[in-house]
Amino acid sequence: MKPFDDGSAANDEFQSVLGGSYRGELVKDLLRQRVRMPDPVADYLARPGLTGKIRQACEPGKILFLESPPGFGKSHGLCAAFHESETGADRIRWISLTGQENDAGRLLALIEIALTSRATTRLRGQQNASSYTDALSVLLSGVAASGAEDSRFLVIDNVGSIAHPASTALLHQLVVETPANLSLILVSRKPLPFETHSLELAGRFRRLGAEDLELTRSETFEFFGDSLTSQKLTTVTIEHLHALTEGWLTPLGLYQRELQESTESRLPIQDSASVERFLRDAVLIPLTPGQQRSLRIMAELDVVSDELFLALADSACDHAFRPSAASEAGIPLRAIPGRGRWYRFNPLVHEWLQTPVMAGLEERALRASRWFNHRGRFPEALRYALMANAHDEAMQIASDASEALLIGQDTASLLALRQSLPMDLFEQSPRLKIVYGWVHAIGGQFARARALIDDLATTADQALQGRVDALRAFILRGEGAVLEALEVADRALASADLSAQGRLVTELVRSSAMCAQGNFTQAREANRNAARLAREAGDNGSETLAVYAHARIELGKGALRHAEQLLRTGLDTAINEAARSARVGEVRLQLHLVIVLWHQGREREADRLLVNCVRHAEQTRDLALLLAMSLRVLICRTHERLDEAFTWIGRAERTMQAWKVDASVYVPVLEALKGSTWLVSGQIEAATQALERLGPWRSANCVPDMFPMMPGLLDCLQARLEMANQKDECAARTLKAIRDRHHEMVPFGLELHVRLLESVIASRQKGMPAGQKALAAAIDLAAGEHYLSPFTELRRELQPLMEKAWPHLPRLPFVDEIGRVYGIRTAPVVETAQLAEPISDREQGVLELIAQGLSNQDIADKLHISLHTVKTHARRINAKLEVKSRTQAIVRARELGLL
């Protein structure tokens, strides 16, 4: 048999490449020019998180696969990782494939050139190999024989261009037989055409996708730092850019370049000429006309599946180019986590593909509405019926599925429907009034909701009375009237005609109200009733709301770990429900998971989730947007980005006003955020005025549904202002009033705030040991759940005490995290001699005044005790410290950490 690389066949130039004939050597020289590393990008953004992942995956003997649609900076990120790790260029071989490498001989030649030096004589076994696979095996064995000290990196870029089975088989063989001294990196827009799970299980294969390569929110702000400084962009604009692109690097980079070069007024990123060219080149040009039409039809939908696409596709579409195929082809169409059959576009691409509008949109929207309606997915059915201007069908959906729509809480679609309803029809239908009463109440428009149902108490059928009471209880709870909400909720549950979903919502109202009272046992019982009703109805969306309510109870008790477990389990359950887009209940789960993460100081995870929460809440007009934006303020304040915090407060105010939310819902929340932010910035007078404006609301004893700890935290804010004005006794009384009001059922987070403020007051009034003891007790209480947020919030008040107490705190991971927040370097505990008899609190007070240089008479006057008593304390202090003078006492006390 003739060896495969004999080179004798006159019509096979790639055989000659491997054979060594004159013509083969010429082609080989040309191929050598293809083995080169791309030029590094100037002024690249340092991304230590991504670099760390790449470096960890690029160990010898392992394979890294970088897969994402175009423009996510795969090659750029890899080059940056090599540069930052100072890897020598002589150890890196980089091949960028083209369609020509579908010839297996040519591909093998490139790999051989990359893995051997020009002067190396080809192995005899390789020369005589009878197949490409044998030749590759011999080549790899030669690389392995060079030893561990000769480790190197082989990068194969644009792997997605390989489609021929013979070339694919060679790539698969290269992956499987990667030598122990070779790091293999594959880069592609598409998934690999062969299995890798066995290598993943063995720990040799790792994939990094678009979710790893996209810029985080904080990285996006850093990326546009110069534009922000020069005021070409505002924080709101950068926030919008991140939400619209989801951190897609190339569009952001092109937009940044236009900002730097343009002297004219700034255009939105979707109108940028360079960004539009990139989208056209990367998304549309590689496709056939049929595929382009398929893609535009997919973009008419918020989320799309293969089945839904086929129901809408016309004869001009490429029916084989379904969402799943488009995603695998490198289109920025991402599978929704947990629902592999449903996909959504990157928002920038989604918006771009919808312009211009294609003919037949209304007809396709109507077919989509009927498709969803047939499957019981009423919020989506209503949304597309409105898009199709099919008002009669929209009315029918709203009437037949009103309760399912309310559980879905898609208030945006329902409010849009109301604009098209004839007023006389609306006035004649009590059922429709109840539906829209719920719509307005869910959207925070409690006054409008109350106006709709006030006349139903006398005019409606008795059969509707239970539903009216259920809605009224929901309104009262939303307004913060806890006792009245419980009373009306009990009356609604006593109605025999209340539907199962009406009972479920009413039980959730009871659970929320009792949780606000600190009555967690009864709150949990009401929550169990709601969960049972949801399971009996077979409604996973309702059960998600029950899980959300349970997690809130655990949050109130301070059980952060249990709350996180509940929230993650609820999200896992929700996303595994096939063929359904996300509901508001899932967004509430995500949002409260953000709260848990923030409480524990896990801000990077919280930041990533919060971006999605804000986007979805804005789309559906979910009132939880107020909570999401409040969390943004708290995170900004943690990092002392106070201007950005006030920007978010302003954005929240504008959004609530645009949505016509009752002022009583959002004004107290935003005033409280303003007051606490002003306090952090040292503007005591402005913070005091904000608290005064909240006086009427505080006197009404309202407990907002989404902010159950807010009344107590406002009391803490009052105590903090009193402490800032040196009124510690008033602050102590304010803190005691919190406990008195809650009857020893203080929510855990509020309890920590109170204890920490009490420790500061104790250090001022009773001396440092008393303050240290109270602080240590608060730390011990918080450590079990890693409850960090109160320490972060009260940093202004706690900083002096924390610095003095630090050497005497136990070295625990939680304490180390507190040290990071306070900028205190972790150091080992200083071992000090223990006193045979401890210093008492009164002696400590005398010792601190001695250290201040006061005479015995001055100390007596300040402490309102006799001169004789002061001298007695001074003698006992000297005896306990084993010293003979005031000066020695001060020195010794400082050595022991008493001062």
Side-chain angles (χ1 to χ4, degrees), residues 597-663:
L597 297 172
W598 176 71
H599 279 318
Q600 294 187 325
R602 296 153 63 185
E603 290 165 13
R604 185 177 294 275
E605 296 176 70
D607 186 84
R608 194 179 192 91
L609 268 177
L610 200 51
V611 171
N612 295 329
C613 293
V614 169
R615 181 175 63 245
H616 194 278
E618 285 179 327
Q619 290 172 349
T620 58
R621 287 186 57 125
D622 182 4
L623 191 58
L625 180 65
L626 179 61
L627 178 56
M629 290 184 168
S630 300
L631 285 168
R632 271 281 176 236
V633 174
L634 296 177
I635 292 174
C636 291
R637 210 163 63 200
T638 297
H639 295 284
E640 299 182 347
R641 300 196 304 264
L642 301 184
D643 289 342
E644 188 178 342
F646 279 114
T647 298
W648 275 104
I649 292 172
R651 180 177 173 183
E653 186 172 27
R654 290 190 296 273
T655 303
M656 295 299 106
Q657 290 171 349
W659 288 4
K660 299 179 181 177
V661 174
D662 288 3

Side-chain angles (χ1 to χ4, degrees), residues 759 763 768-777 779 798-811 815 818 824 827-830 896-899:
S759 71
S763 70
M768 192 57 61
Q772 291 177 4
K773 182 178 179 181
L775 177 61
I779 289 174
L798 283 172
Q799 187 79 42
L801 174 60
M802 190 67 71
E803 289 176 353
K804 290 183 178 180
W806 185 255
H808 308 283
L809 296 176
R811 288 284 75 82
V815 176
I818 293 174
I824 304 174
V829 177
V830 178
L896 295 171
L898 298 175
L899 292 175

Side-chain angles (χ1 to χ4, degrees), residues 316-328:
C317 292
D318 181 347
H319 288 230
F321 195 67
R322 304 171 186 180
S324 56
S327 179
E328 291 188 359

Side-chain angles (χ1 to χ4, degrees), residues 426-563:
F426 191 85
E427 290 298 327
Q428 294 170 10
S429 173
R431 183 184 178 89
L432 207 55
K433 282 189 175 183
I434 293 175
V435 168
Y436 274 95
W438 279 107
V439 171
H440 290 302
I442 291 169
Q445 300 172 346
F446 297 119
R448 298 184 70 178
R450 193 186 296 278
L452 282 171
I453 63 171
D454 275 347
D455 62 334
L456 290 180
T458 55
T459 61
D461 296 339
Q462 192 63 32
L464 294 178
Q465 192 58 50
R467 294 187 176 187
V468 172
D469 285 337
L471 174 54
R472 197 180 300 278
F474 185 89
I475 293 170
L476 288 167
R477 180 66 195 96
E479 293 175 330
V482 173
L483 295 177
E484 294 91 333
L486 283 172
E487 180 182 349
V488 177
D490 289 339
R491 192 168 68 218
L493 290 171
S495 172
D497 299 315
L498 187 62
S499 67
Q501 286 174 314
R503 290 182 181 279
L504 184 151
V505 174
T506 307
E507 289 285 10
L508 292 178
V509 168
R510 292 183 69 247
S511 176
S512 171
M514 287 185 285
C515 187
Q517 292 180 320
N519 191 348
F520 298 119
T521 302
Q522 291 190 27
R524 181 71 182 100
E525 184 61 34
N527 175 256
R528 288 193 185 95
N529 292 337
R532 174 180 53 78
L533 289 167
R535 285 191 290 270
E536 288 175 355
D539 187 342
N540 289 336
S542 300
E543 193 166 356
T544 297
L545 290 174
V547 173
Y548 154 70
H550 185 186
R552 294 184 67 193
I553 295 171
E554 297 304 317
L555 273 174
K557 292 159 59 178
L560 297 184
R561 300 183 196 280
H562 188 197

